Amino acid sequence: MKIDFPFENSRFLGYISHINPQYCKVHFPSSTLLNKNIYSGEEFNGGLIGNFISIEAENYGFIGRISEIDLPEKERLALTEKSFRLFDFHPTAKIEILFAFDYYNEELIQSIATQPNIGSKVFACSNEFIKKFISNFGVKNDEDLKINLGHLTSSAGTNVMVSQQSIFNRHCAIVGTTGGGKSWTVTKLIESVKTNNSKAILIDATGEYANQKAKVKSLILGEDTYFPYQKMTKQDFHYLVKPSEGVQVPKLAEAIKSLKMVRKYYENIENKVNSQKKYHEDFKKFIVHDGLIDKSEKSNIEFNRFYLMHYEEIENDDFNLDIQLIAKQISYECIYPTNRDKADLFGSENSNDKNFCYPMISRINHIINSKMYNSIFNFNNNECNSSNNLIAEIEEFIKDEQSEYKILRIGFEKVSYDFQVREILANIIGRYLLNKARSYYFKENPLILFIDEAHQFLKKDSNLDYFYAAKLDAFDQIAKESRKNGLFLCLSTQMPRDIPVGTLSQIGTFIVHRLINFNDKEAIRQASSTASNDLLTYLPNLGEGEAILTGVDFKIPLILKIHSPKVPPDSSTPKFKNKS
């Protein structure tokens, strides 16, 4: 039977000899106390970096972790192979205090007012005792869903069951260099979400998770599904077109307004709304062939009257218009604001404005006629059934009664890297889900949004070169405001330094695999409130699949070996072969 008493004399190591707010030091009376020993069938290595220790203090017990071991200066000078065999040494160790616990009920206590005393005894801590605090890590009540995430690196038999609520409640980030095990961790979390009958959408940057089949609906943008451009916003279209400051921005805005007015006019006719009123008939004279608007030398009073009657519908942010007409409509917008002789009329054609707009018109024609863009946004308005429409697929997936699929994988493997279309498209999807969250759609049934290779999508801007440019900030807004509305982010990235600071600062849980770059480690240190400098020194030395779990809902940071997923992602490195 294993012993879980924290202060067993057979596991005695030494005495507290130094205390400050960040750490304490332990004096070992003999170096032999650091040797490997077996008590009650359990192996103890008192002198290994990362091992847990327990401290018997006056009012509380303490759990700490060894972060450094050293010999006093005078003993280091006398250290030889012979002396090491014949004489005893007196090492010291730096201990990171993780938490205090009450002797009577063993509840965790975290307070600067609780510190061990000088001379307090230090013991190697048993796995059974540690299990009391980490077997249900972050679980706050019996209703919390649990994830069997991994086991302690210092004890393969000590599994860590974490609360799904605590992992995602304040958003989650999985970071680490290539080959560190990020993809396995993402897959493990996805499998756990399925097991717990929760729902998640995965933006798969490279197709790495295409082999996930059970309870997964897999869609590939540009191949078997498209995002309908009508669900874009005017701002999204600006990201694609990139109009320049000055003439192009207002002319594009006017063209969008005119085409939306035409759409409203025909809707009124179809629905027989206000068809007899004079302002409706007056507007008809502005419409020329193919549903375009020509305002040249016509009454601006009659035009503006129709506009003001439908102001809210025309000036809303939707993009529900015939995009094939927009380039031609921009040409029609290149007129003088007023007539020189009659102030109540629009002016004639302005050739200078047309010349300024030709580059933008060319870009628009290229975009709407490009095979790649058409496969993603369906600019040609091809007749497609709802199974090809990504918005229809998302709407069907998030329905409460839909229980066949728990994961919706949106594959970006066929989406081009040119012209920032990947970032723009991901941002469009993110904004769509953000608007759903703002309407409290996920309040009762939360949704997790996984973003793989997040550094590809969470760029700070769209490289627009005019003042109107807003940032690609949908995920930043989700991180800041959607937690209370039931939409949670889980980011996976090799380069946390490339994630916008506003997004990273909202992350509450970090699963950190091996990191080497100083800026990456610094980004994690600044974003995580519970990751100490001592803990982050482990990052370059973590093995494959090993990670540090730290977060605001977890009282202590842990170093884990993540359990293997049932179906590993397709992330293996191609091997060189001798073909001779």
Side-chain angles (χ1 to χ4, degrees), residues 175-178 493-499 504 512-526 536-542:
V175 302
T177 57
T178 300
T493 179
Q494 302 173 23
M495 296 178 287
R497 66 184 182 276
D498 282 352
I499 302 300
L504 203 62
V512 190
H513 292 270
R514 183 174 62 248
L515 281 178
I516 298 173
N517 183 276
F518 171 80
N519 292 325
D520 287 331
K521 291 188 289 184
E522 189 66 13
I524 296 300
R525 187 186 68 80
Q526 293 181 4
L536 295 179
T537 59
Y538 290 97
L539 289 178
N541 301 315
L542 292 175

PDB file of all heavy atoms in Angstrom, residues 175-178 493-499 504 512-526 536-542:
ATOM      1  N   VAL A 175       1.356  26.313 -27.751  1.00  0.00           N
ATOM      2  CA  VAL A 175       2.495  26.891 -28.463  1.00  0.00           C
ATOM      3  C   VAL A 175       3.704  25.972 -28.359  1.00  0.00           C
ATOM      4  O   VAL A 175       3.811  25.154 -27.456  1.00  0.00           O
ATOM      5  CB  VAL A 175       2.845  28.293 -27.904  1.00  0.00           C
ATOM      6  CG1 VAL A 175       1.651  29.224 -27.996  1.00  0.00           C
ATOM      7  CG2 VAL A 175       3.322  28.204 -26.456  1.00  0.00           C
ATOM      8  N   GLY A 176       4.621  26.114 -29.295  1.00  0.00           N
ATOM      9  CA  GLY A 176       5.837  25.310 -29.292  1.00  0.00           C
ATOM     10  C   GLY A 176       6.439  25.230 -30.683  1.00  0.00           C
ATOM     11  O   GLY A 176       5.755  25.434 -31.693  1.00  0.00           O
ATOM     12  N   THR A 177       7.725  24.932 -30.754  1.00  0.00           N
ATOM     13  CA  THR A 177       8.403  24.824 -32.029  1.00  0.00           C
ATOM     14  C   THR A 177       7.950  23.571 -32.777  1.00  0.00           C
ATOM     15  O   THR A 177       7.322  22.679 -32.207  1.00  0.00           O
ATOM     16  CB  THR A 177       9.927  24.760 -31.824  1.00  0.00           C
ATOM     17  OG1 THR A 177      10.227  23.652 -30.959  1.00  0.00           O
ATOM     18  CG2 THR A 177      10.446  26.035 -31.200  1.00  0.00           C
ATOM     19  N   THR A 178       8.307  23.504 -34.043  1.00  0.00           N
ATOM     20  CA  THR A 178       7.969  22.343 -34.871  1.00  0.00           C
ATOM     21  C   THR A 178       8.550  21.071 -34.248  1.00  0.00           C
ATOM     22  O   THR A 178       9.710  21.037 -33.855  1.00  0.00           O
ATOM     23  CB  THR A 178       8.535  22.531 -36.287  1.00  0.00           C
ATOM     24  OG1 THR A 178       7.959  23.703 -36.855  1.00  0.00           O
ATOM     25  CG2 THR A 178       8.205  21.335 -37.159  1.00  0.00           C
ATOM     26  N   THR A 493       0.120  27.633 -32.305  1.00  0.00           N
ATOM     27  CA  THR A 493       1.086  28.387 -33.098  1.00  0.00           C
ATOM     28  C   THR A 493       2.519  28.029 -32.726  1.00  0.00           C
ATOM     29  O   THR A 493       2.809  27.666 -31.585  1.00  0.00           O
ATOM     30  CB  THR A 493       0.882  29.904 -32.920  1.00  0.00           C
ATOM     31  OG1 THR A 493       1.863  30.609 -33.688  1.00  0.00           O
ATOM     32  CG2 THR A 493       1.008  30.321 -31.463  1.00  0.00           C
ATOM     33  N   GLN A 494       3.405  28.130 -33.705  1.00  0.00           N
ATOM     34  CA  GLN A 494       4.838  27.960 -33.464  1.00  0.00           C
ATOM     35  C   GLN A 494       5.469  29.240 -32.948  1.00  0.00           C
ATOM     36  O   GLN A 494       6.531  29.202 -32.324  1.00  0.00           O
ATOM     37  CB  GLN A 494       5.541  27.576 -34.769  1.00  0.00           C
ATOM     38  CG  GLN A 494       5.042  26.314 -35.433  1.00  0.00           C
ATOM     39  CD  GLN A 494       5.682  26.114 -36.792  1.00  0.00           C
ATOM     40  OE1 GLN A 494       6.753  26.637 -37.071  1.00  0.00           O
ATOM     41  NE2 GLN A 494       5.019  25.350 -37.651  1.00  0.00           N
ATOM     42  N   MET A 495       4.838  30.367 -33.235  1.00  0.00           N
ATOM     43  CA  MET A 495       5.455  31.664 -32.945  1.00  0.00           C
ATOM     44  C   MET A 495       4.496  32.557 -32.168  1.00  0.00           C
ATOM     45  O   MET A 495       3.790  33.390 -32.757  1.00  0.00           O
ATOM     46  CB  MET A 495       5.884  32.345 -34.247  1.00  0.00           C
ATOM     47  CG  MET A 495       6.968  31.589 -34.995  1.00  0.00           C
ATOM     48  SD  MET A 495       7.434  32.357 -36.560  1.00  0.00           S
ATOM     49  CE  MET A 495       5.998  31.984 -37.565  1.00  0.00           C
ATOM     50  N   PRO A 496       4.430  32.394 -30.857  1.00  0.00           N
ATOM     51  CA  PRO A 496       3.529  33.246 -30.069  1.00  0.00           C
ATOM     52  C   PRO A 496       3.839  34.726 -30.189  1.00  0.00           C
ATOM     53  O   PRO A 496       2.952  35.562 -29.989  1.00  0.00           O
ATOM     54  CB  PRO A 496       3.736  32.739 -28.631  1.00  0.00           C
ATOM     55  CG  PRO A 496       4.999  31.958 -28.647  1.00  0.00           C
ATOM     56  CD  PRO A 496       5.128  31.409 -30.029  1.00  0.00           C
ATOM     57  N   ARG A 497       5.080  35.080 -30.574  1.00  0.00           N
ATOM     58  CA  ARG A 497       5.434  36.488 -30.724  1.00  0.00           C
ATOM     59  C   ARG A 497       4.676  37.139 -31.871  1.00  0.00           C
ATOM     60  O   ARG A 497       4.562  38.371 -31.918  1.00  0.00           O
ATOM     61  CB  ARG A 497       6.942  36.646 -30.943  1.00  0.00           C
ATOM     62  CG  ARG A 497       7.457  36.065 -32.245  1.00  0.00           C
ATOM     63  CD  ARG A 497       8.976  36.174 -32.323  1.00  0.00           C
ATOM     64  NE  ARG A 497       9.533  35.684 -33.572  1.00  0.00           N
ATOM     65  CZ  ARG A 497       9.811  34.422 -33.834  1.00  0.00           C
ATOM     66  NH1 ARG A 497       9.576  33.503 -32.895  1.00  0.00           N
ATOM     67  NH2 ARG A 497      10.318  34.045 -34.995  1.00  0.00           N
ATOM     68  N   ASP A 498       4.159  36.338 -32.808  1.00  0.00           N
ATOM     69  CA  ASP A 498       3.425  36.880 -33.948  1.00  0.00           C
ATOM     70  C   ASP A 498       1.926  37.004 -33.686  1.00  0.00           C
ATOM     71  O   ASP A 498       1.187  37.487 -34.551  1.00  0.00           O
ATOM     72  CB  ASP A 498       3.642  35.995 -35.187  1.00  0.00           C
ATOM     73  CG  ASP A 498       4.996  36.256 -35.843  1.00  0.00           C
ATOM     74  OD1 ASP A 498       5.665  37.217 -35.418  1.00  0.00           O
ATOM     75  OD2 ASP A 498       5.383  35.501 -36.745  1.00  0.00           O
ATOM     76  N   ILE A 499       1.481  36.549 -32.524  1.00  0.00           N
ATOM     77  CA  ILE A 499       0.076  36.723 -32.166  1.00  0.00           C
ATOM     78  C   ILE A 499      -0.100  38.131 -31.612  1.00  0.00           C
ATOM     79  O   ILE A 499       0.690  38.575 -30.776  1.00  0.00           O
ATOM     80  CB  ILE A 499      -0.358  35.686 -31.103  1.00  0.00           C
ATOM     81  CG1 ILE A 499      -0.123  34.270 -31.616  1.00  0.00           C
ATOM     82  CG2 ILE A 499      -1.824  35.878 -30.724  1.00  0.00           C
ATOM     83  CD1 ILE A 499      -0.860  33.917 -32.879  1.00  0.00           C
ATOM     84  N   LEU A 504      -3.233  37.785 -27.263  1.00  0.00           N
ATOM     85  CA  LEU A 504      -2.447  36.952 -26.351  1.00  0.00           C
ATOM     86  C   LEU A 504      -2.715  37.309 -24.893  1.00  0.00           C
ATOM     87  O   LEU A 504      -2.716  36.432 -24.017  1.00  0.00           O
ATOM     88  CB  LEU A 504      -0.961  37.109 -26.684  1.00  0.00           C
ATOM     89  CG  LEU A 504      -0.032  35.971 -26.253  1.00  0.00           C
ATOM     90  CD1 LEU A 504      -0.423  34.670 -26.940  1.00  0.00           C
ATOM     91  CD2 LEU A 504       1.418  36.310 -26.568  1.00  0.00           C
ATOM     92  N   VAL A 512       2.374  24.865 -23.147  1.00  0.00           N
ATOM     93  CA  VAL A 512       3.594  25.333 -23.801  1.00  0.00           C
ATOM     94  C   VAL A 512       4.550  24.172 -24.013  1.00  0.00           C
ATOM     95  O   VAL A 512       5.076  23.602 -23.057  1.00  0.00           O
ATOM     96  CB  VAL A 512       4.282  26.430 -22.965  1.00  0.00           C
ATOM     97  CG1 VAL A 512       5.412  27.065 -23.771  1.00  0.00           C
ATOM     98  CG2 VAL A 512       3.280  27.496 -22.531  1.00  0.00           C
ATOM     99  N   HIS A 513       4.775  23.814 -25.270  1.00  0.00           N
ATOM    100  CA  HIS A 513       5.768  22.809 -25.635  1.00  0.00           C
ATOM    101  C   HIS A 513       7.130  23.497 -25.776  1.00  0.00           C
ATOM    102  O   HIS A 513       7.288  24.652 -25.404  1.00  0.00           O
ATOM    103  CB  HIS A 513       5.352  22.106 -26.927  1.00  0.00           C
ATOM    104  CG  HIS A 513       4.132  21.247 -26.772  1.00  0.00           C
ATOM    105  ND1 HIS A 513       4.188  19.917 -26.427  1.00  0.00           N
ATOM    106  CD2 HIS A 513       2.811  21.544 -26.903  1.00  0.00           C
ATOM    107  CE1 HIS A 513       2.964  19.419 -26.355  1.00  0.00           C
ATOM    108  NE2 HIS A 513       2.108  20.394 -26.641  1.00  0.00           N
ATOM    109  N   ARG A 514       8.085  22.778 -26.323  1.00  0.00           N
ATOM    110  CA  ARG A 514       9.440  23.307 -26.401  1.00  0.00           C
ATOM    111  C   ARG A 514       9.489  24.639 -27.156  1.00  0.00           C
ATOM    112  O   ARG A 514       8.963  24.775 -28.248  1.00  0.00           O
ATOM    113  CB  ARG A 514      10.356  22.298 -27.110  1.00  0.00           C
ATOM    114  CG  ARG A 514      11.815  22.735 -27.178  1.00  0.00           C
ATOM    115  CD  ARG A 514      12.719  21.659 -27.745  1.00  0.00           C
ATOM    116  NE  ARG A 514      12.386  21.312 -29.103  1.00  0.00           N
ATOM    117  CZ  ARG A 514      11.877  20.141 -29.486  1.00  0.00           C
ATOM    118  NH1 ARG A 514      11.647  19.208 -28.600  1.00  0.00           N
ATOM    119  NH2 ARG A 514      11.602  19.909 -30.751  1.00  0.00           N
ATOM    120  N   LEU A 515      10.132  25.630 -26.532  1.00  0.00           N
ATOM    121  CA  LEU A 515      10.367  26.937 -27.141  1.00  0.00           C
ATOM    122  C   LEU A 515      11.826  27.307 -26.952  1.00  0.00           C
ATOM    123  O   LEU A 515      12.380  27.120 -25.865  1.00  0.00           O
ATOM    124  CB  LEU A 515       9.482  28.017 -26.499  1.00  0.00           C
ATOM    125  CG  LEU A 515       8.019  28.107 -26.944  1.00  0.00           C
ATOM    126  CD1 LEU A 515       7.308  29.201 -26.163  1.00  0.00           C
ATOM    127  CD2 LEU A 515       7.893  28.368 -28.430  1.00  0.00           C
ATOM    128  N   ILE A 516      12.426  27.833 -28.001  1.00  0.00           N
ATOM    129  CA  ILE A 516      13.843  28.183 -27.943  1.00  0.00           C
ATOM    130  C   ILE A 516      14.050  29.680 -28.131  1.00  0.00           C
ATOM    131  O   ILE A 516      14.847  30.293 -27.434  1.00  0.00           O
ATOM    132  CB  ILE A 516      14.625  27.401 -29.024  1.00  0.00           C
ATOM    133  CG1 ILE A 516      14.503  25.889 -28.757  1.00  0.00           C
ATOM    134  CG2 ILE A 516      16.093  27.816 -29.049  1.00  0.00           C
ATOM    135  CD1 ILE A 516      15.089  25.027 -29.851  1.00  0.00           C
ATOM    136  N   ASN A 517      13.309  30.292 -29.039  1.00  0.00           N
ATOM    137  CA  ASN A 517      13.489  31.700 -29.352  1.00  0.00           C
ATOM    138  C   ASN A 517      13.168  32.580 -28.143  1.00  0.00           C
ATOM    139  O   ASN A 517      12.143  32.407 -27.485  1.00  0.00           O
ATOM    140  CB  ASN A 517      12.595  32.085 -30.530  1.00  0.00           C
ATOM    141  CG  ASN A 517      12.782  33.518 -30.969  1.00  0.00           C
ATOM    142  OD1 ASN A 517      12.184  34.417 -30.410  1.00  0.00           O
ATOM    143  ND2 ASN A 517      13.622  33.720 -31.971  1.00  0.00           N
ATOM    144  N   PHE A 518      14.052  33.538 -27.861  1.00  0.00           N
ATOM    145  CA  PHE A 518      13.886  34.399 -26.690  1.00  0.00           C
ATOM    146  C   PHE A 518      12.578  35.184 -26.762  1.00  0.00           C
ATOM    147  O   PHE A 518      11.860  35.314 -25.767  1.00  0.00           O
ATOM    148  CB  PHE A 518      15.071  35.371 -26.568  1.00  0.00           C
ATOM    149  CG  PHE A 518      14.876  36.436 -25.529  1.00  0.00           C
ATOM    150  CD1 PHE A 518      15.089  36.161 -24.182  1.00  0.00           C
ATOM    151  CD2 PHE A 518      14.452  37.714 -25.889  1.00  0.00           C
ATOM    152  CE1 PHE A 518      14.894  37.142 -23.218  1.00  0.00           C
ATOM    153  CE2 PHE A 518      14.246  38.695 -24.933  1.00  0.00           C
ATOM    154  CZ  PHE A 518      14.473  38.403 -23.592  1.00  0.00           C
ATOM    155  N   ASN A 519      12.246  35.745 -27.926  1.00  0.00           N
ATOM    156  CA  ASN A 519      11.045  36.560 -28.060  1.00  0.00           C
ATOM    157  C   ASN A 519       9.779  35.740 -27.847  1.00  0.00           C
ATOM    158  O   ASN A 519       8.790  36.239 -27.310  1.00  0.00           O
ATOM    159  CB  ASN A 519      11.015  37.234 -29.433  1.00  0.00           C
ATOM    160  CG  ASN A 519      12.104  38.272 -29.589  1.00  0.00           C
ATOM    161  OD1 ASN A 519      12.457  38.949 -28.631  1.00  0.00           O
ATOM    162  ND2 ASN A 519      12.661  38.385 -30.789  1.00  0.00           N
ATOM    163  N   ASP A 520       9.801  34.466 -28.280  1.00  0.00           N
ATOM    164  CA  ASP A 520       8.656  33.595 -28.046  1.00  0.00           C
ATOM    165  C   ASP A 520       8.473  33.342 -26.552  1.00  0.00           C
ATOM    166  O   ASP A 520       7.356  33.390 -26.021  1.00  0.00           O
ATOM    167  CB  ASP A 520       8.834  32.269 -28.787  1.00  0.00           C
ATOM    168  CG  ASP A 520       8.641  32.404 -30.288  1.00  0.00           C
ATOM    169  OD1 ASP A 520       7.867  33.290 -30.691  1.00  0.00           O
ATOM    170  OD2 ASP A 520       9.258  31.642 -31.046  1.00  0.00           O
ATOM    171  N   LYS A 521       9.583  33.033 -25.875  1.00  0.00           N
ATOM    172  CA  LYS A 521       9.505  32.781 -24.429  1.00  0.00           C
ATOM    173  C   LYS A 521       9.072  34.042 -23.684  1.00  0.00           C
ATOM    174  O   LYS A 521       8.294  33.969 -22.723  1.00  0.00           O
ATOM    175  CB  LYS A 521      10.860  32.287 -23.912  1.00  0.00           C
ATOM    176  CG  LYS A 521      11.233  30.894 -24.389  1.00  0.00           C
ATOM    177  CD  LYS A 521      12.483  30.362 -23.721  1.00  0.00           C
ATOM    178  CE  LYS A 521      13.717  31.085 -24.204  1.00  0.00           C
ATOM    179  NZ  LYS A 521      14.953  30.507 -23.633  1.00  0.00           N
ATOM    180  N   GLU A 522       9.560  35.178 -24.141  1.00  0.00           N
ATOM    181  CA  GLU A 522       9.190  36.437 -23.494  1.00  0.00           C
ATOM    182  C   GLU A 522       7.711  36.741 -23.687  1.00  0.00           C
ATOM    183  O   GLU A 522       7.039  37.251 -22.764  1.00  0.00           O
ATOM    184  CB  GLU A 522      10.038  37.574 -24.071  1.00  0.00           C
ATOM    185  CG  GLU A 522       9.903  38.896 -23.346  1.00  0.00           C
ATOM    186  CD  GLU A 522      10.438  38.869 -21.925  1.00  0.00           C
ATOM    187  OE1 GLU A 522      11.145  37.897 -21.558  1.00  0.00           O
ATOM    188  OE2 GLU A 522      10.146  39.823 -21.176  1.00  0.00           O
ATOM    189  N   ALA A 523       7.167  36.420 -24.856  1.00  0.00           N
ATOM    190  CA  ALA A 523       5.736  36.622 -25.103  1.00  0.00           C
ATOM    191  C   ALA A 523       4.893  35.797 -24.143  1.00  0.00           C
ATOM    192  O   ALA A 523       3.875  36.274 -23.623  1.00  0.00           O
ATOM    193  CB  ALA A 523       5.397  36.265 -26.557  1.00  0.00           C
ATOM    194  N   ILE A 524       5.311  34.553 -23.889  1.00  0.00           N
ATOM    195  CA  ILE A 524       4.583  33.702 -22.947  1.00  0.00           C
ATOM    196  C   ILE A 524       4.732  34.224 -21.528  1.00  0.00           C
ATOM    197  O   ILE A 524       3.767  34.262 -20.752  1.00  0.00           O
ATOM    198  CB  ILE A 524       5.087  32.243 -23.038  1.00  0.00           C
ATOM    199  CG1 ILE A 524       4.801  31.661 -24.422  1.00  0.00           C
ATOM    200  CG2 ILE A 524       4.437  31.374 -21.962  1.00  0.00           C
ATOM    201  CD1 ILE A 524       3.341  31.638 -24.796  1.00  0.00           C
ATOM    202  N   ARG A 525       5.937  34.647 -21.167  1.00  0.00           N
ATOM    203  CA  ARG A 525       6.160  35.142 -19.808  1.00  0.00           C
ATOM    204  C   ARG A 525       5.278  36.352 -19.509  1.00  0.00           C
ATOM    205  O   ARG A 525       4.702  36.471 -18.427  1.00  0.00           O
ATOM    206  CB  ARG A 525       7.627  35.529 -19.622  1.00  0.00           C
ATOM    207  CG  ARG A 525       7.995  35.899 -18.180  1.00  0.00           C
ATOM    208  CD  ARG A 525       9.410  36.408 -18.079  1.00  0.00           C
ATOM    209  NE  ARG A 525       9.576  37.682 -18.731  1.00  0.00           N
ATOM    210  CZ  ARG A 525       9.230  38.849 -18.172  1.00  0.00           C
ATOM    211  NH1 ARG A 525       8.695  38.871 -16.958  1.00  0.00           N
ATOM    212  NH2 ARG A 525       9.412  39.973 -18.823  1.00  0.00           N
ATOM    213  N   GLN A 526       5.145  37.248 -20.484  1.00  0.00           N
ATOM    214  CA  GLN A 526       4.359  38.455 -20.270  1.00  0.00           C
ATOM    215  C   GLN A 526       2.859  38.176 -20.292  1.00  0.00           C
ATOM    216  O   GLN A 526       2.090  38.862 -19.622  1.00  0.00           O
ATOM    217  CB  GLN A 526       4.712  39.503 -21.326  1.00  0.00           C
ATOM    218  CG  GLN A 526       6.134  40.029 -21.205  1.00  0.00           C
ATOM    219  CD  GLN A 526       6.456  41.086 -22.244  1.00  0.00           C
ATOM    220  OE1 GLN A 526       5.597  41.496 -23.025  1.00  0.00           O
ATOM    221  NE2 GLN A 526       7.698  41.526 -22.271  1.00  0.00           N
ATOM    222  N   LEU A 536       9.876  28.719 -16.843  1.00  0.00           N
ATOM    223  CA  LEU A 536      10.131  28.916 -18.267  1.00  0.00           C
ATOM    224  C   LEU A 536      11.532  28.491 -18.678  1.00  0.00           C
ATOM    225  O   LEU A 536      11.797  28.302 -19.870  1.00  0.00           O
ATOM    226  CB  LEU A 536       9.891  30.379 -18.644  1.00  0.00           C
ATOM    227  CG  LEU A 536       8.437  30.866 -18.508  1.00  0.00           C
ATOM    228  CD1 LEU A 536       8.326  32.328 -18.882  1.00  0.00           C
ATOM    229  CD2 LEU A 536       7.487  30.035 -19.352  1.00  0.00           C
ATOM    230  N   THR A 537      12.434  28.334 -17.711  1.00  0.00           N
ATOM    231  CA  THR A 537      13.780  27.853 -18.061  1.00  0.00           C
ATOM    232  C   THR A 537      13.754  26.407 -18.543  1.00  0.00           C
ATOM    233  O   THR A 537      14.707  25.936 -19.168  1.00  0.00           O
ATOM    234  CB  THR A 537      14.727  27.965 -16.850  1.00  0.00           C
ATOM    235  OG1 THR A 537      14.201  27.195 -15.753  1.00  0.00           O
ATOM    236  CG2 THR A 537      14.898  29.408 -16.426  1.00  0.00           C
ATOM    237  N   TYR A 538      12.653  25.676 -18.259  1.00  0.00           N
ATOM    238  CA  TYR A 538      12.537  24.297 -18.733  1.00  0.00           C
ATOM    239  C   TYR A 538      12.223  24.222 -20.229  1.00  0.00           C
ATOM    240  O   TYR A 538      12.416  23.175 -20.854  1.00  0.00           O
ATOM    241  CB  TYR A 538      11.410  23.563 -17.985  1.00  0.00           C
ATOM    242  CG  TYR A 538      11.690  23.263 -16.537  1.00  0.00           C
ATOM    243  CD1 TYR A 538      11.224  24.096 -15.529  1.00  0.00           C
ATOM    244  CD2 TYR A 538      12.413  22.132 -16.157  1.00  0.00           C
ATOM    245  CE1 TYR A 538      11.458  23.827 -14.185  1.00  0.00           C
ATOM    246  CE2 TYR A 538      12.655  21.844 -14.822  1.00  0.00           C
ATOM    247  CZ  TYR A 538      12.173  22.704 -13.841  1.00  0.00           C
ATOM    248  OH  TYR A 538      12.419  22.417 -12.525  1.00  0.00           O
ATOM    249  N   LEU A 539      11.708  25.302 -20.811  1.00  0.00           N
ATOM    250  CA  LEU A 539      11.143  25.231 -22.160  1.00  0.00           C
ATOM    251  C   LEU A 539      12.097  24.700 -23.225  1.00  0.00           C
ATOM    252  O   LEU A 539      11.704  23.866 -24.044  1.00  0.00           O
ATOM    253  CB  LEU A 539      10.612  26.613 -22.575  1.00  0.00           C
ATOM    254  CG  LEU A 539       9.346  27.075 -21.845  1.00  0.00           C
ATOM    255  CD1 LEU A 539       8.938  28.467 -22.299  1.00  0.00           C
ATOM    256  CD2 LEU A 539       8.214  26.091 -22.049  1.00  0.00           C
ATOM    257  N   PRO A 540      13.361  25.145 -23.293  1.00  0.00           N
ATOM    258  CA  PRO A 540      14.230  24.617 -24.356  1.00  0.00           C
ATOM    259  C   PRO A 540      14.539  23.134 -24.215  1.00  0.00           C
ATOM    260  O   PRO A 540      14.965  22.500 -25.189  1.00  0.00           O
ATOM    261  CB  PRO A 540      15.514  25.458 -24.201  1.00  0.00           C
ATOM    262  CG  PRO A 540      15.110  26.661 -23.432  1.00  0.00           C
ATOM    263  CD  PRO A 540      14.031  26.197 -22.511  1.00  0.00           C
ATOM    264  N   ASN A 541      14.331  22.572 -23.014  1.00  0.00           N
ATOM    265  CA  ASN A 541      14.726  21.181 -22.758  1.00  0.00           C
ATOM    266  C   ASN A 541      13.562  20.198 -22.773  1.00  0.00           C
ATOM    267  O   ASN A 541      13.773  19.002 -22.550  1.00  0.00           O
ATOM    268  CB  ASN A 541      15.439  21.093 -21.399  1.00  0.00           C
ATOM    269  CG  ASN A 541      16.663  21.976 -21.339  1.00  0.00           C
ATOM    270  OD1 ASN A 541      17.459  22.009 -22.268  1.00  0.00           O
ATOM    271  ND2 ASN A 541      16.816  22.712 -20.253  1.00  0.00           N
ATOM    272  N   LEU A 542      12.361  20.687 -23.026  1.00  0.00           N
ATOM    273  CA  LEU A 542      11.212  19.781 -23.054  1.00  0.00           C
ATOM    274  C   LEU A 542      11.333  18.806 -24.215  1.00  0.00           C
ATOM    275  O   LEU A 542      11.708  19.183 -25.330  1.00  0.00           O
ATOM    276  CB  LEU A 542       9.909  20.580 -23.176  1.00  0.00           C
ATOM    277  CG  LEU A 542       9.511  21.441 -21.974  1.00  0.00           C
ATOM    278  CD1 LEU A 542       8.264  22.250 -22.297  1.00  0.00           C
ATOM    279  CD2 LEU A 542       9.279  20.581 -20.736  1.00  0.00           C
TER     280      LEU A 542
END
